[in-house]
């Protein structure tokens, strides 16, 4: 069956160039980079090349890049690393729309006796920066605010946020898992102190990530063990994946401008046509301040899971902000924080593109999705009642 993969914020295809770069590190160069012998030493040199490639994509110094096992680990390492290094500071500022890697850590920190301020967002998913400024206290160890939202693609004004955080003498961590590789970043001219990225969102394999830690930031390791990563992260390195991440960052850096322009064109076309063709559809999140590849749409009075199942039958992979896809019983905390009505949260669908999507993919989704929504509306007692009322109201307004 034809497969149209439009779930790239969940994970991406590993680029063939990345696979090719990784293979020799399973078969030929399997030495331990910490070994004294040159068989391991040559691998250590290749890790340094990967570190350079990652650093170049985000405008960092290679010495500021610490490899990890994933985005979740990097987020945990950033927050715990700063809390442990500053034990007298027991307050954290974050937002209500973070990925669970930060959001649920915040909940856990409260149980551990820390104070956590969660900033709300408006209906576009944007923060109020005055609220941020008011929230930062003398004992605020760290402010952790994501770069771009995984569900809506909304991009926060991270440099403005950084100015406020610096002005108040605190430390800024940003979860940039969804931003890195999709939009250009330059940490050499930035107020960000720590930044998380994850391999599998940018065409590297799953199970590898990195944390940028700015020089001069006092940071305690999260994973305590050997001396790897200059004592900042214990554990023998996942060499093939690190090599793959380096190559993926090199590819992203070379093509980021043309790829983001292409993705935006495809995404805009997709969004426009679906909003036009599917009744009672709405866009969730700021229309402009957004990643180029993401659209989050709500179809009122239908269930997101039902839409996904029917899309799946047609070979279309997407995801939903309603219960089951997130693996919990609760609908999306992001859409709820934005005040999206319950009926719309339940009928939300996220479509996220990558460099591998084509205009044919977009046409196929445009062809398949609106009839699915209409079909579901017809069989939904709630939906059809609402639709009939709306149709009646429209007829009254039109004087029919
Ligand atoms: N942060 C954001 C914004 C994400 O979208 C994700 C993954 O979806 C993560 C963190 C977690 O990354 P990983 O899957 O590498 O642990």
């Amino acid at each position: 069956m034809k497969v149209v993969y439009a779930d790239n914020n969940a994970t991406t295809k590993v680029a063939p160039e990345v696979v090719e770069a990784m293979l020799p590190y399973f078969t030929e160069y399997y030495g331990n980079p910490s070994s004294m012998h040159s068989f391991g030493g040559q691998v250590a040199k290749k890790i340094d090349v990967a570190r350079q490639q990652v650093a170049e994509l985000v405008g960092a110094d290679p010495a500021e890049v610490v490899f990890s096992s994933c985005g979740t680990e990097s987020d945990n390492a950033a927050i715990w690393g700063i809390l442990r290094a500053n034990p007298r500071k027991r307050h954290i500022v974050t937002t209500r729309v973070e990925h669970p890697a930060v959001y649920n850590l915040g909940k856990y920190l409260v149980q551990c006796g820390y104070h956590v301020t969660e900033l709300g967002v408006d209906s576009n998913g944007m923060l109020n920066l005055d609220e941020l400024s008011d929230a930062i206290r003398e004992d605020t160890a760290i402010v952790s605010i994501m770069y771009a939202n995984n569900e809506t693609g909304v991009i926060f004004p991270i440099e403005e946020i950084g100015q406020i955080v610096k002005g108040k003498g605190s430390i800024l961590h940003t979860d940039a898992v969804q931003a890195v590789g999709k939009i250009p970043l330059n940490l050499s001219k930035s107020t960000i102190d720590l930044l998380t990225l994850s391999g599998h969102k940018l065409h590297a394999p799953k199970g590898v990530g990195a944390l940028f830690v700015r020089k001069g930031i006092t940071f305690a390791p999260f994973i305590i063990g050997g001396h790897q990563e200059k004592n900042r992260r214990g554990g023998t390195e996942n060499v093939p994946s690190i090599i793959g991440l380096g190559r993926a960052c090199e590819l992203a850096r070379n093509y980021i401008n043309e790829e983001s322009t292409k993705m935006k064109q495809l995404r805009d076309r997709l969004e426009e046509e679906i909003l036009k063709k599917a009744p009672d559809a709405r866009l969730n999140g700021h229309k402009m301040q957004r990643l180029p590849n993401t659209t989050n749409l709500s179809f009122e009075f239908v269930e997101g899971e039902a839409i996904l199942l029917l899309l799946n039958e047609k070979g279309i992979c997407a995801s939903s902000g309603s219960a089951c896809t997130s693996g919990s019983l609760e609908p999306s905390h992001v859409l709820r924080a934005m005040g999206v009505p319950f009926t719309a949260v339940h009928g939300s669908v996220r479509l996220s593109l990558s460099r591998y999507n084509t205009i044919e993919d977009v046409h196929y989704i445009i062809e398949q999705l609106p009839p699915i929504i209409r079909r579901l509306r017809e069989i939904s007692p709630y939906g059809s009642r609402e639709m009939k009322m709306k149709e009646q109201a429209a007829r009254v307004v039109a004087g029919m």
Side-chain angles (χ1 to χ4, degrees):
M1 185 175 63
K2 177 186 174 80
V3 172
V4 170
Y5 188 75
D7 199 13
N8 287 279
N9 287 9
T11 199
T12 57
K13 169 182 167 158
V14 180
E17 299 91 329
V18 168
V19 176
E20 194 191 2
M22 290 173 68
L23 287 177
Y25 295 87
F26 289 105
T27 52
E28 224 178 308
Y29 306 113
Y30 53 82
N32 186 325
S34 297
S35 295
M36 285 302 289
H37 44 71
S38 49
F39 187 68
Q42 64 184 344
V43 178
K45 285 197 187 110
K46 289 293 185 183
I47 287 187
D48 284 340
V49 172
R51 202 181 303 282
Q52 174 88 32
Q53 290 165 321
V54 174
E56 278 174 2
L57 176 63
V58 294
D61 187 296
E64 296 172 316
V65 175
V66 181
F67 288 114
S68 71
S69 70
C70 59
T72 303
E73 184 195 318
S74 293
D75 282 340
N76 274 257
I79 295 172
W80 278 119
I82 296 301
L83 290 176
R84 285 181 185 151
N86 302 278
R88 284 203 302 276
K89 295 195 170 186
R90 310 222 7 122
H91 178 236
I92 300 111
V93 177
T94 183
T95 79
R96 286 205 193 125
V97 296
E98 298 297 311
H99 183 272
V102 171
Y103 187 74
N104 287 341
L105 176 57
K107 305 274 179 233
Y108 178 68
L109 289 171
V110 172
Q111 288 172 25
C112 297
Y114 288 91
H115 303 279
V116 178
T117 304
E118 280 181 353
L119 303 170
V121 293
D122 65 16
S123 57
N124 282 323
M126 299 304 284
L127 289 170
N128 177 335
L129 297 190
D130 291 334
E131 268 173 34
L132 165 66
S133 180
D134 292 344
I136 304 172
R137 319 189 310 210
E138 284 221 336
D139 66 337
T140 305
I142 184 165
V143 176
S144 182
I145 294 184
M146 69 200 319
Y147 206 116
N149 190 274
N150 44 299
E151 292 190 27
T152 58
V154 167
I155 298 174
F156 284 147
I158 207 72
E159 292 307 331
E160 261 182 84
I161 289 170
Q163 296 292 348
I164 294 168
V165 175
K166 298 288 99 180
K168 295 263 178 170
S170 195
I171 289 176
L172 175 63
H173 163 248
T174 187
D175 175 344
V177 163
Q178 293 294 344
V180 173
K182 292 178 188 140
I183 52 173
L185 261 77
N186 185 359
L187 291 168
S188 72
K189 295 195 183 98
S190 168
T191 49
I192 297 165
D193 297 303
L194 299 113
L195 175 141
T196 292
L197 64 93
S198 172
H200 72 111
K201 311 292 177 170
L202 69 144
H203 305 291
K206 294 157 191 66
V208 65
L211 179 65
F212 159 84
V213 185
R214 188 173 293 284
K215 271 186 201 150
I217 293 288
T218 315
F219 165 86
F222 175 59
I223 296 196
I224 298 166
H227 298 300
Q228 292 90 352
E229 298 298 288
K230 298 210 168 65
N231 295 314
R232 293 172 297 179
R233 197 268 186 186
T236 301
E237 296 86 344
N238 177 357
V239 176
S241 294
I242 288 174
I243 303 298
L245 176 58
R247 181 76 175 111
C249 287
E250 182 180 52
L251 292 171
R253 182 168 175 250
N254 289 344
Y255 304 110
I256 197 158
N257 289 329
E258 62 196 78
E259 281 178 354
S260 64
T261 308
K262 178 191 147 188
M263 282 191 297
K264 185 175 181 309
Q265 279 167 356
L266 293 180
R267 191 274 314 270
D268 287 350
R269 178 75 193 275
L270 178 64
E271 187 173 284
E272 227 175 87
E273 290 294 318
I274 297 210
L275 285 172
K276 223 187 305 170
K277 293 195 165 120
D280 279 312
R282 53 173 276 170
L283 172 69
N284 296 314
H286 198 286
K287 192 165 165 51
M288 307 310 291
Q289 300 298 322
R290 240 186 334 159
L291 291 173
N293 77 319
T294 310
T295 182
N296 188 312
L297 301 167
S298 274
F299 305 97
E300 292 219 53
F301 318 117
V302 285
E303 283 296 325
E305 280 101 66
I307 304 172
L308 294 193
L309 283 174
L310 294 184
L311 282 175
N312 186 50
E313 276 181 10
K314 301 288 177 190
I316 299 170
C317 310
S319 66
S320 158
S322 49
C324 295
T325 39
S326 54
S328 79
L329 293 173
E330 289 289 308
S332 159
H333 68 283
V334 174
L335 299 185
R336 277 184 303 138
M338 290 161 60
V340 176
F342 241 69
T343 45
V345 172
H346 279 283
S348 73
V349 171
R350 177 188 70 188
L351 296 157
S352 49
L353 307 179
S354 82
R355 69 167 71 122
Y356 297 113
N357 285 110
T358 60
I359 189 69
E360 287 74 30
D361 292 347
V362 165
H363 286 153
Y364 185 65
I365 303 173
I366 294 169
E367 189 186 297
Q368 299 298 333
L369 183 52
I372 287 176
I373 305 298
R374 281 195 288 274
R375 215 172 115 197
L376 287 170
R377 281 262 168 72
E378 277 161 24
I379 58 169
S380 150
Y382 185 43
S384 58
R385 200 179 68 232
E386 288 291 328
M387 295 303 289
K388 274 183 198 131
M389 277 161 55
K390 283 200 173 179
E391 278 164 20
Q392 273 172 5
R395 277 203 293 272
V396 170
V397 170
M400 288 160 67

